[in-house]
Amino acid sequence: MHYRRIKQLALLGAIVASLVLSQFSAHLNAYYLQVLIFIGINVTLAVSLNLINGYAGQFSLGHAGFMAIGAYVSAYLSAEHGAGLFKILGGVNSATIFILFALVLLIGGLAAALAGFIVGVPSLRLKGDYLAIVTLGFGEIIRVLIQNTDAVGGPRGYSGIANYTTIFWTYSIAAVTIYVVVSMIDSTYGRGFLTVRDDEVAAEAIGINTTRYKVTAFVLGAFFAGVAGGLYAHTTTYINPSGFDFQLSIQIVVMVILGGMGSTIGVAFAAVLLTLLLEYLRFVAGYAWLPDIVRQIAANRMIIFSLVLIALMLLRPQGLFGALGKAAGGRRAGIRKIPKPEPGPSMS
């Protein structure tokens, strides 16, 4: 079966499975349901950042800022203008809620993409540590601006957000994110991302507009981060600027490095694993029989992230799942494998 057809069937199967599972979500424990939704949101965040860091070869620390833009824009629209839209559509029902939620998620994603374009055009001419510092500063600027915006609650946070996020929305969007990233990298156009990542100087020498490719990766990654922020806002029903700080950006970066930069499936697995680990650490921090030092480390995620990064850099720099998704369909990182030529006849 053609590789493209397999991807389309996998996407359709994931959407159908998420729809079926969503029908039974009312019977799940509320905590387990929340964890499942957080897993799907983190998969979207990690896969979208992998497009920037893993495939385009950049190093962004501003994903939390893009997520914050999507969260606040979508939450504000649904809370402040949702009633008016429901009135136009003829009342509140499943269909109108679907339309409203899809609309606010799209607008939130587009707002984040616009911010990605604004920060990307001037800053993506930078490389390495300089780019990381710029994107980190951008994320902090967004957080400070939100703290000083009374329309969205300022430092008090923004509450009164409707709980629209379901398993269907979460995992359908995660599946679409994976499909879009994989399809783009496997396309002829997408080979340009890999070229820019592997050797930017050589890419420019053969006429590839490296800045355009980097900005495209930045805008697309920011869009999906904004959509993930909208999902997050409509499942917690309360958001605060402190929830989109530097620590969140580091958490997403660790997922990408843990899964293997440039491996979409590996990054998705890492997002699941790390989300479950962080939830388990909440319980470990409350175990009274453990030594205080162990409980303090478990309660401080930054210590865990630092230890994980150090261990990965020393023991497995390619990530735990770096080989996954790089050889699917006879490809490796989107490049076809060329068979070795058969040896010629002997000259003896």
Side-chain angles (χ1 to χ4, degrees):
M1 189 179 294
H2 198 275
Y3 181 53
R4 180 181 299 177
R5 183 66 173 173
I6 294 176
K7 290 188 295 184
Q8 293 172 348
L9 290 176
L11 173 62
L12 180 61
I15 293 175
V16 171
S18 63
L19 178 61
V20 172
L21 183 58
S22 185
Q23 303 304 311
F24 298 95
S25 61
H27 302 287
L28 293 176
N29 178 280
Y31 171 74
Y32 294 137
L33 177 61
Q34 190 80 297
V35 172
L36 280 175
I37 290 176
F38 283 162
I39 288 174
I41 292 173
N42 284 337
V43 168
T44 301
L45 289 169
V47 171
S48 60
L49 181 62
N50 188 43
L51 177 63
I52 302 172
N53 289 14
Y55 288 119
Q58 307 308 298
F59 192 75
S60 171
L61 289 175
H63 232 49
F66 300 130
M67 183 182 178
I69 292 174
Y72 273 91
V73 169
S74 62
Y76 179 81
L77 290 175
S78 65
E80 303 297 333
H81 302 285
L85 182 59
F86 284 139
K87 186 177 181 180
I88 294 174
L89 295 175
V92 181
N93 53 58
S94 300
T96 56
I97 290 176
F98 183 93
I99 294 173
L100 170 68
F101 195 38
L103 187 60
V104 298
L105 287 179
L106 177 62
I107 296 175
L110 291 175
L114 177 61
F117 179 80
I118 292 174
V119 71
V121 170
S123 66
L124 284 179
R125 296 182 183 276
L126 303 173
K127 303 177 183 178
D129 300 339
Y130 300 102
L131 177 60
I133 293 172
V134 169
T135 54
L136 172 61
F138 166 77
E140 289 301 303
I141 289 172
I142 293 299
R143 187 174 62 84
V144 172
L145 287 176
I146 293 173
Q147 283 182 336
N148 290 276
T149 304
D150 291 333
V152 290
R156 303 183 305 276
Y158 195 62
S159 59
I161 308 169
N163 187 359
Y164 292 147
T165 302
T166 62
I167 290 180
F168 166 72
W169 280 105
T170 303
Y171 284 91
S172 293
I173 290 175
V176 169
T177 305
I178 294 174
Y179 176 80
V180 169
V181 172
V182 171
S183 297
M184 175 174 287
I185 297 303
D186 284 340
S187 67
T188 302
Y189 177 81
R191 308 290 172 82
F193 292 105
L194 307 177
T195 305
V196 172
R197 179 194 66 186
D198 293 338
D199 195 326
E200 189 171 335
V201 175
E204 291 178 346
I206 62 176
I208 292 178
N209 188 335
T210 58
T211 301
R212 184 183 67 181
Y213 273 96
K214 290 187 288 186
V215 170
T216 300
F218 221 80
V219 169
L220 190 59
F223 172 80
F224 285 115
V227 173
L231 292 172
Y232 175 80
H234 288 86
T235 190
T236 60
T237 67
Y238 170 79
I239 49 179
N240 191 287
S242 61
F244 303 97
D245 58 3
F246 170 69
Q247 183 173 337
L248 178 60
S249 290
I250 292 297
Q251 175 180 324
I252 306 170
V253 169
V254 170
M255 291 177 185
V256 174
I257 297 176
L258 181 66
M261 297 177 67
S263 171
T264 301
I265 304 301
V267 167
F269 272 114
V272 175
L273 179 64
L274 193 58
T275 304
L276 293 175
L277 173 63
L278 294 177
E279 289 300 320
Y280 179 70
L281 289 176
R282 298 180 189 273
F283 296 100
V284 173
Y287 292 158
W289 52 272
L290 287 175
D292 289 341
I293 183 64
V294 175
R295 296 168 58 190
Q296 291 175 4
I297 291 176
N300 193 328
R301 296 184 179 186
M302 291 303 293
I303 296 178
I304 302 296
F305 294 155
S306 301
L307 293 176
V308 169
L309 281 175
I310 292 173
L312 281 175
M313 293 298 99
L314 293 177
L315 303 177
R316 193 173 174 84
Q318 72 272 30
L320 293 180
F321 311 105
L324 291 178
K326 288 188 175 181
R331 301 169 184 233
R332 181 172 183 85
I335 301 177
R336 293 183 182 273
K337 290 184 175 181
I338 301 176
K340 293 182 180 180
E342 296 293 333
S346 174
M347 299 299 294
S348 57

Short mmCIF file of all heavy atoms in Angstrom, two decimals, residues 161-214:
data_model
loop_
_atom_site.label_atom_id
_atom_site.label_comp_id
_atom_site.label_asym_id
_atom_site.label_seq_id
_atom_site.Cartn_x
_atom_site.Cartn_y
_atom_site.Cartn_z
N ILE A 161 -13.84 30.10 32.06
CA ILE A 161 -13.69 29.51 30.72
C ILE A 161 -14.51 28.22 30.66
O ILE A 161 -14.48 27.40 31.58
CB ILE A 161 -12.21 29.22 30.42
CG1 ILE A 161 -11.36 30.48 30.66
CG2 ILE A 161 -12.03 28.73 29.00
CD1 ILE A 161 -9.87 30.21 30.65
N ALA A 162 -15.24 28.05 29.60
CA ALA A 162 -16.08 26.85 29.45
C ALA A 162 -15.20 25.62 29.23
O ALA A 162 -14.11 25.70 28.64
CB ALA A 162 -17.03 27.01 28.27
N ASN A 163 -15.68 24.49 29.71
CA ASN A 163 -14.95 23.22 29.57
C ASN A 163 -15.39 22.53 28.29
O ASN A 163 -16.26 21.66 28.29
CB ASN A 163 -15.21 22.33 30.79
CG ASN A 163 -14.35 21.09 30.78
OD1 ASN A 163 -13.56 20.87 29.87
ND2 ASN A 163 -14.48 20.26 31.79
N TYR A 164 -14.76 22.91 27.18
CA TYR A 164 -15.11 22.35 25.88
C TYR A 164 -14.16 21.24 25.42
O TYR A 164 -14.50 20.48 24.52
CB TYR A 164 -15.11 23.45 24.81
CG TYR A 164 -16.21 24.48 24.97
CD1 TYR A 164 -16.01 25.81 24.60
CD2 TYR A 164 -17.46 24.12 25.47
CE1 TYR A 164 -17.01 26.76 24.72
CE2 TYR A 164 -18.47 25.06 25.61
CZ TYR A 164 -18.24 26.37 25.24
OH TYR A 164 -19.25 27.30 25.37
N THR A 165 -12.98 21.17 26.01
CA THR A 165 -11.99 20.21 25.55
C THR A 165 -12.40 18.79 25.90
O THR A 165 -12.74 18.50 27.04
CB THR A 165 -10.62 20.52 26.16
OG1 THR A 165 -10.23 21.85 25.82
CG2 THR A 165 -9.56 19.55 25.66
N THR A 166 -12.36 17.92 24.92
CA THR A 166 -12.68 16.51 25.11
C THR A 166 -11.54 15.65 24.56
O THR A 166 -10.60 16.15 23.94
CB THR A 166 -13.97 16.13 24.38
OG1 THR A 166 -13.78 16.34 22.97
CG2 THR A 166 -15.14 16.99 24.87
N ILE A 167 -11.64 14.35 24.80
CA ILE A 167 -10.66 13.43 24.23
C ILE A 167 -10.67 13.50 22.71
O ILE A 167 -9.61 13.43 22.06
CB ILE A 167 -10.92 12.00 24.73
CG1 ILE A 167 -10.57 11.90 26.23
CG2 ILE A 167 -10.13 10.98 23.93
CD1 ILE A 167 -10.81 10.53 26.82
N PHE A 168 -11.85 13.65 22.14
CA PHE A 168 -11.94 13.75 20.68
C PHE A 168 -11.14 14.93 20.16
O PHE A 168 -10.32 14.79 19.24
CB PHE A 168 -13.40 13.89 20.26
CG PHE A 168 -13.57 14.32 18.83
CD1 PHE A 168 -13.30 13.44 17.79
CD2 PHE A 168 -13.97 15.62 18.52
CE1 PHE A 168 -13.44 13.85 16.47
CE2 PHE A 168 -14.11 16.03 17.21
CZ PHE A 168 -13.84 15.14 16.18
N TRP A 169 -11.37 16.12 20.73
CA TRP A 169 -10.65 17.30 20.28
C TRP A 169 -9.14 17.14 20.50
O TRP A 169 -8.33 17.45 19.63
CB TRP A 169 -11.16 18.53 21.00
CG TRP A 169 -12.42 19.08 20.45
CD1 TRP A 169 -13.68 18.99 20.99
CD2 TRP A 169 -12.58 19.82 19.24
NE1 TRP A 169 -14.60 19.62 20.20
CE2 TRP A 169 -13.97 20.14 19.11
CE3 TRP A 169 -11.71 20.24 18.24
CZ2 TRP A 169 -14.47 20.86 18.03
CZ3 TRP A 169 -12.22 20.97 17.16
CH2 TRP A 169 -13.58 21.26 17.08
N THR A 170 -8.78 16.66 21.67
CA THR A 170 -7.35 16.59 22.04
C THR A 170 -6.58 15.67 21.12
O THR A 170 -5.53 16.04 20.56
CB THR A 170 -7.22 16.12 23.49
OG1 THR A 170 -7.94 17.01 24.35
CG2 THR A 170 -5.76 16.11 23.91
N TYR A 171 -7.08 14.46 20.94
CA TYR A 171 -6.32 13.48 20.18
C TYR A 171 -6.51 13.62 18.67
O TYR A 171 -5.64 13.21 17.89
CB TYR A 171 -6.66 12.07 20.66
CG TYR A 171 -6.00 11.77 21.97
CD1 TYR A 171 -6.64 12.03 23.17
CD2 TYR A 171 -4.70 11.28 22.02
CE1 TYR A 171 -6.01 11.79 24.39
CE2 TYR A 171 -4.06 11.03 23.22
CZ TYR A 171 -4.72 11.29 24.40
OH TYR A 171 -4.09 11.06 25.61
N SER A 172 -7.61 14.20 18.23
CA SER A 172 -7.75 14.50 16.82
C SER A 172 -6.74 15.55 16.39
O SER A 172 -6.08 15.43 15.35
CB SER A 172 -9.18 14.99 16.51
OG SER A 172 -10.12 13.97 16.70
N ILE A 173 -6.58 16.59 17.22
CA ILE A 173 -5.61 17.63 16.91
C ILE A 173 -4.18 17.09 17.01
O ILE A 173 -3.32 17.44 16.18
CB ILE A 173 -5.82 18.84 17.84
CG1 ILE A 173 -7.13 19.55 17.46
CG2 ILE A 173 -4.64 19.82 17.76
CD1 ILE A 173 -7.52 20.67 18.37
N ALA A 174 -3.92 16.23 17.99
CA ALA A 174 -2.59 15.61 18.07
C ALA A 174 -2.31 14.77 16.83
O ALA A 174 -1.20 14.81 16.28
CB ALA A 174 -2.50 14.74 19.33
N ALA A 175 -3.32 14.03 16.36
CA ALA A 175 -3.14 13.21 15.15
C ALA A 175 -2.92 14.09 13.92
O ALA A 175 -2.06 13.79 13.07
CB ALA A 175 -4.36 12.32 14.95
N VAL A 176 -3.66 15.18 13.82
CA VAL A 176 -3.49 16.10 12.69
C VAL A 176 -2.09 16.73 12.73
O VAL A 176 -1.44 16.88 11.68
CB VAL A 176 -4.59 17.19 12.71
CG1 VAL A 176 -4.26 18.29 11.71
CG2 VAL A 176 -5.94 16.58 12.40
N THR A 177 -1.63 17.08 13.91
CA THR A 177 -0.29 17.67 14.04
C THR A 177 0.77 16.70 13.55
O THR A 177 1.67 17.06 12.78
CB THR A 177 -0.01 18.05 15.50
OG1 THR A 177 -1.04 18.92 15.98
CG2 THR A 177 1.33 18.75 15.63
N ILE A 178 0.68 15.45 14.00
CA ILE A 178 1.65 14.44 13.57
C ILE A 178 1.57 14.24 12.06
O ILE A 178 2.59 14.16 11.37
CB ILE A 178 1.40 13.11 14.31
CG1 ILE A 178 1.70 13.28 15.80
CG2 ILE A 178 2.25 11.99 13.72
CD1 ILE A 178 1.34 12.06 16.64
N TYR A 179 0.35 14.17 11.54
CA TYR A 179 0.16 13.95 10.10
C TYR A 179 0.75 15.09 9.28
O TYR A 179 1.45 14.87 8.27
CB TYR A 179 -1.32 13.79 9.80
CG TYR A 179 -1.63 13.66 8.33
CD1 TYR A 179 -1.47 12.44 7.68
CD2 TYR A 179 -2.08 14.75 7.60
CE1 TYR A 179 -1.75 12.31 6.32
CE2 TYR A 179 -2.35 14.64 6.24
CZ TYR A 179 -2.19 13.42 5.61
OH TYR A 179 -2.46 13.30 4.27
N VAL A 180 0.48 16.33 9.70
CA VAL A 180 0.98 17.49 8.95
C VAL A 180 2.51 17.53 8.97
O VAL A 180 3.15 17.74 7.93
CB VAL A 180 0.40 18.79 9.53
CG1 VAL A 180 1.10 20.01 8.94
CG2 VAL A 180 -1.10 18.87 9.26
N VAL A 181 3.10 17.30 10.13
CA VAL A 181 4.57 17.36 10.24
C VAL A 181 5.21 16.25 9.42
O VAL A 181 6.15 16.48 8.65
CB VAL A 181 5.00 17.28 11.71
CG1 VAL A 181 6.51 17.12 11.82
CG2 VAL A 181 4.56 18.53 12.46
N VAL A 182 4.71 15.01 9.56
CA VAL A 182 5.29 13.89 8.82
C VAL A 182 5.11 14.08 7.32
O VAL A 182 6.04 13.85 6.53
CB VAL A 182 4.64 12.57 9.28
CG1 VAL A 182 5.06 11.41 8.37
CG2 VAL A 182 5.03 12.25 10.71
N SER A 183 3.93 14.51 6.90
CA SER A 183 3.68 14.71 5.46
C SER A 183 4.56 15.83 4.90
O SER A 183 5.06 15.72 3.77
CB SER A 183 2.20 15.05 5.23
OG SER A 183 1.37 13.97 5.63
N MET A 184 4.74 16.89 5.67
CA MET A 184 5.57 17.98 5.19
C MET A 184 7.02 17.54 5.03
O MET A 184 7.67 17.82 4.01
CB MET A 184 5.50 19.17 6.14
CG MET A 184 6.44 20.31 5.77
SD MET A 184 6.23 21.77 6.79
CE MET A 184 4.68 22.39 6.15
N ILE A 185 7.53 16.82 6.02
CA ILE A 185 8.93 16.40 5.96
C ILE A 185 9.14 15.37 4.85
O ILE A 185 10.20 15.33 4.22
CB ILE A 185 9.37 15.82 7.32
CG1 ILE A 185 9.30 16.92 8.39
CG2 ILE A 185 10.78 15.26 7.25
CD1 ILE A 185 10.12 18.15 8.09
N ASP A 186 8.13 14.55 4.57
CA ASP A 186 8.25 13.55 3.51
C ASP A 186 8.05 14.12 2.12
O ASP A 186 8.27 13.42 1.14
CB ASP A 186 7.23 12.42 3.74
CG ASP A 186 7.67 11.48 4.85
OD1 ASP A 186 8.86 11.47 5.17
OD2 ASP A 186 6.81 10.76 5.40
N SER A 187 7.62 15.37 2.03
CA SER A 187 7.38 15.97 0.72
C SER A 187 8.69 16.51 0.12
O SER A 187 9.72 16.63 0.80
CB SER A 187 6.37 17.11 0.86
OG SER A 187 6.92 18.19 1.60
N THR A 188 8.61 16.85 -1.15
CA THR A 188 9.78 17.43 -1.82
C THR A 188 10.16 18.76 -1.18
O THR A 188 11.34 19.05 -0.97
CB THR A 188 9.48 17.63 -3.31
OG1 THR A 188 9.11 16.38 -3.89
CG2 THR A 188 10.69 18.19 -4.04
N TYR A 189 9.13 19.56 -0.86
CA TYR A 189 9.40 20.84 -0.20
C TYR A 189 10.05 20.62 1.16
O TYR A 189 10.96 21.35 1.56
CB TYR A 189 8.09 21.61 -0.04
CG TYR A 189 8.25 22.93 0.69
CD1 TYR A 189 8.69 24.06 0.03
CD2 TYR A 189 7.94 23.03 2.04
CE1 TYR A 189 8.84 25.27 0.70
CE2 TYR A 189 8.09 24.24 2.72
CZ TYR A 189 8.53 25.35 2.05
OH TYR A 189 8.68 26.54 2.72
N GLY A 190 9.58 19.60 1.88
CA GLY A 190 10.07 19.36 3.22
C GLY A 190 11.53 18.95 3.29
O GLY A 190 12.17 19.08 4.34
N ARG A 191 12.06 18.44 2.16
CA ARG A 191 13.50 18.09 2.18
C ARG A 191 14.36 19.32 2.44
O ARG A 191 15.49 19.21 2.91
CB ARG A 191 13.89 17.46 0.84
CG ARG A 191 13.02 16.30 0.39
CD ARG A 191 13.21 15.06 1.25
NE ARG A 191 12.23 14.04 0.90
CZ ARG A 191 12.34 13.19 -0.12
NH1 ARG A 191 13.39 13.26 -0.90
NH2 ARG A 191 11.42 12.29 -0.34
N GLY A 192 13.79 20.50 2.14
CA GLY A 192 14.55 21.72 2.39
C GLY A 192 14.81 21.94 3.87
O GLY A 192 15.87 22.46 4.25
N PHE A 193 13.86 21.53 4.75
CA PHE A 193 14.09 21.64 6.19
C PHE A 193 15.30 20.82 6.61
O PHE A 193 16.14 21.27 7.40
CB PHE A 193 12.86 21.17 6.96
CG PHE A 193 11.66 22.05 6.82
CD1 PHE A 193 10.60 21.68 6.02
CD2 PHE A 193 11.59 23.27 7.48
CE1 PHE A 193 9.49 22.49 5.88
CE2 PHE A 193 10.49 24.09 7.35
CZ PHE A 193 9.43 23.70 6.54
N LEU A 194 15.38 19.60 6.07
CA LEU A 194 16.49 18.72 6.42
C LEU A 194 17.81 19.25 5.88
O LEU A 194 18.86 19.13 6.54
CB LEU A 194 16.23 17.31 5.89
CG LEU A 194 14.88 16.69 6.29
CD1 LEU A 194 14.71 15.33 5.64
CD2 LEU A 194 14.79 16.58 7.81
N THR A 195 17.76 19.85 4.71
CA THR A 195 18.97 20.43 4.14
C THR A 195 19.47 21.59 4.99
O THR A 195 20.67 21.71 5.26
CB THR A 195 18.70 20.91 2.70
OG1 THR A 195 18.18 19.84 1.93
CG2 THR A 195 19.97 21.43 2.06
N VAL A 196 18.55 22.44 5.41
CA VAL A 196 18.91 23.58 6.27
C VAL A 196 19.47 23.07 7.59
O VAL A 196 20.44 23.62 8.12
CB VAL A 196 17.69 24.49 6.50
CG1 VAL A 196 18.00 25.56 7.54
CG2 VAL A 196 17.25 25.13 5.19
N ARG A 197 18.87 22.02 8.13
CA ARG A 197 19.33 21.48 9.40
C ARG A 197 20.74 20.90 9.28
O ARG A 197 21.59 21.12 10.14
CB ARG A 197 18.38 20.40 9.88
CG ARG A 197 18.78 19.74 11.19
CD ARG A 197 18.00 18.47 11.44
NE ARG A 197 18.33 17.45 10.43
CZ ARG A 197 17.69 16.28 10.36
NH1 ARG A 197 16.70 16.00 11.18
NH2 ARG A 197 18.05 15.40 9.43
N ASP A 198 20.98 20.15 8.23
CA ASP A 198 22.25 19.44 8.11
C ASP A 198 23.42 20.35 7.78
O ASP A 198 24.51 20.19 8.33
CB ASP A 198 22.14 18.33 7.05
CG ASP A 198 21.18 17.22 7.47
OD1 ASP A 198 20.94 17.09 8.69
OD2 ASP A 198 20.67 16.52 6.58
N ASP A 199 23.20 21.31 6.88
CA ASP A 199 24.29 22.23 6.52
C ASP A 199 23.68 23.49 5.93
O ASP A 199 23.34 23.54 4.74
CB ASP A 199 25.23 21.57 5.50
CG ASP A 199 26.55 22.32 5.38
OD1 ASP A 199 26.53 23.56 5.50
OD2 ASP A 199 27.59 21.67 5.15
N GLU A 200 23.54 24.51 6.77
CA GLU A 200 22.90 25.74 6.33
C GLU A 200 23.72 26.48 5.29
O GLU A 200 23.17 27.05 4.34
CB GLU A 200 22.65 26.63 7.55
CG GLU A 200 21.78 27.84 7.26
CD GLU A 200 21.39 28.58 8.52
OE1 GLU A 200 21.37 27.95 9.60
OE2 GLU A 200 21.10 29.79 8.42
N VAL A 201 25.04 26.44 5.43
CA VAL A 201 25.90 27.12 4.46
C VAL A 201 25.79 26.47 3.09
O VAL A 201 25.66 27.15 2.06
CB VAL A 201 27.36 27.11 4.95
CG1 VAL A 201 28.28 27.72 3.88
CG2 VAL A 201 27.50 27.87 6.26
N ALA A 202 25.81 25.14 3.06
CA ALA A 202 25.68 24.44 1.78
C ALA A 202 24.30 24.67 1.18
O ALA A 202 24.16 24.79 -0.05
CB ALA A 202 25.92 22.95 1.98
N ALA A 203 23.26 24.74 2.03
CA ALA A 203 21.90 24.99 1.53
C ALA A 203 21.82 26.35 0.85
O ALA A 203 21.22 26.49 -0.22
CB ALA A 203 20.90 24.90 2.68
N GLU A 204 22.41 27.36 1.47
CA GLU A 204 22.42 28.68 0.87
C GLU A 204 23.23 28.69 -0.42
O GLU A 204 22.89 29.40 -1.38
CB GLU A 204 22.98 29.70 1.86
CG GLU A 204 22.07 29.97 3.05
CD GLU A 204 22.67 30.95 4.04
OE1 GLU A 204 23.89 31.22 3.91
OE2 GLU A 204 21.94 31.45 4.91
N ALA A 205 24.28 27.90 -0.46
CA ALA A 205 25.14 27.87 -1.65
C ALA A 205 24.43 27.30 -2.86
O ALA A 205 24.73 27.68 -4.01
CB ALA A 205 26.40 27.06 -1.36
N ILE A 206 23.47 26.41 -2.65
CA ILE A 206 22.74 25.83 -3.79
C ILE A 206 21.42 26.55 -4.05
O ILE A 206 20.59 26.08 -4.83
CB ILE A 206 22.48 24.33 -3.56
CG1 ILE A 206 21.61 24.10 -2.32
CG2 ILE A 206 23.78 23.56 -3.46
CD1 ILE A 206 21.24 22.63 -2.11
N GLY A 207 21.22 27.69 -3.39
CA GLY A 207 20.08 28.55 -3.70
C GLY A 207 18.86 28.38 -2.83
O GLY A 207 17.80 28.94 -3.16
N ILE A 208 18.97 27.64 -1.74
CA ILE A 208 17.83 27.48 -0.84
C ILE A 208 17.71 28.69 0.07
O ILE A 208 18.70 29.13 0.67
CB ILE A 208 17.98 26.19 0.00
CG1 ILE A 208 17.87 24.97 -0.91
CG2 ILE A 208 16.92 26.12 1.10
CD1 ILE A 208 18.05 23.66 -0.17
N ASN A 209 16.51 29.24 0.15
CA ASN A 209 16.26 30.38 1.05
C ASN A 209 16.10 29.85 2.47
O ASN A 209 15.01 29.46 2.89
CB ASN A 209 15.00 31.12 0.60
CG ASN A 209 14.80 32.43 1.35
OD1 ASN A 209 15.27 32.60 2.47
ND2 ASN A 209 14.07 33.35 0.74
N THR A 210 17.18 29.80 3.21
CA THR A 210 17.16 29.18 4.53
C THR A 210 16.27 29.94 5.50
O THR A 210 15.60 29.33 6.34
CB THR A 210 18.59 29.09 5.10
OG1 THR A 210 19.16 30.40 5.17
CG2 THR A 210 19.46 28.21 4.21
N THR A 211 16.24 31.27 5.39
CA THR A 211 15.40 32.06 6.28
C THR A 211 13.93 31.73 6.08
O THR A 211 13.16 31.61 7.03
CB THR A 211 15.64 33.56 6.06
OG1 THR A 211 17.02 33.88 6.31
CG2 THR A 211 14.77 34.39 6.99
N ARG A 212 13.51 31.56 4.82
CA ARG A 212 12.12 31.22 4.55
C ARG A 212 11.74 29.88 5.17
O ARG A 212 10.67 29.72 5.75
CB ARG A 212 11.87 31.18 3.04
CG ARG A 212 10.41 30.94 2.68
CD ARG A 212 10.21 30.84 1.19
NE ARG A 212 10.85 29.64 0.66
CZ ARG A 212 10.84 29.30 -0.63
NH1 ARG A 212 10.27 30.11 -1.52
NH2 ARG A 212 11.43 28.20 -1.04
N TYR A 213 12.61 28.90 5.07
CA TYR A 213 12.32 27.59 5.65
C TYR A 213 12.24 27.67 7.16
O TYR A 213 11.36 27.06 7.79
CB TYR A 213 13.39 26.58 5.23
CG TYR A 213 13.10 25.90 3.91
CD1 TYR A 213 13.65 26.38 2.73
CD2 TYR A 213 12.26 24.81 3.85
CE1 TYR A 213 13.38 25.77 1.51
CE2 TYR A 213 11.97 24.19 2.65
CZ TYR A 213 12.54 24.67 1.48
OH TYR A 213 12.25 24.06 0.28
N LYS A 214 13.14 28.42 7.77
CA LYS A 214 13.12 28.54 9.22
C LYS A 214 11.89 29.28 9.70
O LYS A 214 11.27 28.89 10.72
CB LYS A 214 14.41 29.23 9.70
CG LYS A 214 15.65 28.37 9.54
CD LYS A 214 16.87 29.00 10.17
CE LYS A 214 17.36 30.18 9.39
NZ LYS A 214 18.64 30.72 9.94
#
